[in-house]
Amino acid sequence: MKLRVELFKYDTLVFGKILEQDESLREKREVISRSDYKIGSVSSPEIRQARLLIRGVKKCDDNKVLYYNFTTVKDAEAWCENVKKLIDKLNHGDEDGEEDDIVRVM
């Protein structure tokens, strides 16, 4: 497993935490992308409009809680779904993973 994330969605708010991350992903500007969505590693974990930033150069922020308040519920749902697919692809390639790498999306 290269990346494991815990996410919660409450209306337009998405928040969570990076639970596990392979060190080989650290400080890669673009780890993986799909459509307009990307996972990258710059300085510290963060959620942006179409991007999940994972642990980066600022190791003191590795356990930082991520959060982003989207404009609409539909945008929040789309972000969660696309990021989940990116994480699954990163961890399992094109095969179906047995384990869900996003712990929770509520």
Side-chain angles (χ1 to χ4, degrees):
M1 176 167 320
K2 293 183 179 183
L3 183 62
R4 198 163 140 243
V5 178
E6 179 177 50
L7 290 174
F8 298 91
K9 186 183 76 59
Y10 183 80
D11 289 330
T12 59
L13 178 66
V14 175
F15 61 98
K17 191 173 183 181
I18 307 297
L19 297 177
E20 293 177 39
Q21 176 184 326
D22 190 298
E23 284 297 311
S24 67
L25 303 178
R26 195 179 287 270
E27 296 182 54
K28 283 188 170 182
R29 188 169 256 336
E30 186 174 310
V31 173
I32 192 167
S33 64
R34 175 182 185 272
S35 302
D36 292 333
Y37 292 85
K38 295 179 172 81
I39 294 177
S41 171
V42 183
S43 63
S44 59
E46 187 177 336
I47 295 173
R48 293 191 183 163
Q49 185 66 35
R51 194 168 189 157
L52 171 65
L53 295 176
I54 56 178
R55 295 172 179 163
V57 72
K58 288 187 175 179
K59 291 186 179 188
C60 62
D61 286 343
D62 279 1
N63 295 314
K64 177 181 164 185
V65 173
L66 321 162
Y67 63 92
Y68 191 87
N69 196 10
F70 289 86
T71 307
T72 66
V73 171
K74 185 177 177 181
D75 289 344
E77 290 170 350
W79 186 91
C80 289
E81 186 60 33
N82 279 286
V83 166
K84 180 185 183 319
K85 288 178 182 175
L86 281 172
I87 292 171
D88 288 343
K89 185 175 180 182
L90 176 66
N91 288 337
H92 306 291
D94 291 332
E95 65 187 57
D96 290 332
E98 293 178 16
E99 186 176 340
D100 196 0
D101 304 311
I102 292 185
V103 176
R104 291 178 199 105
V105 176
M106 298 180 181

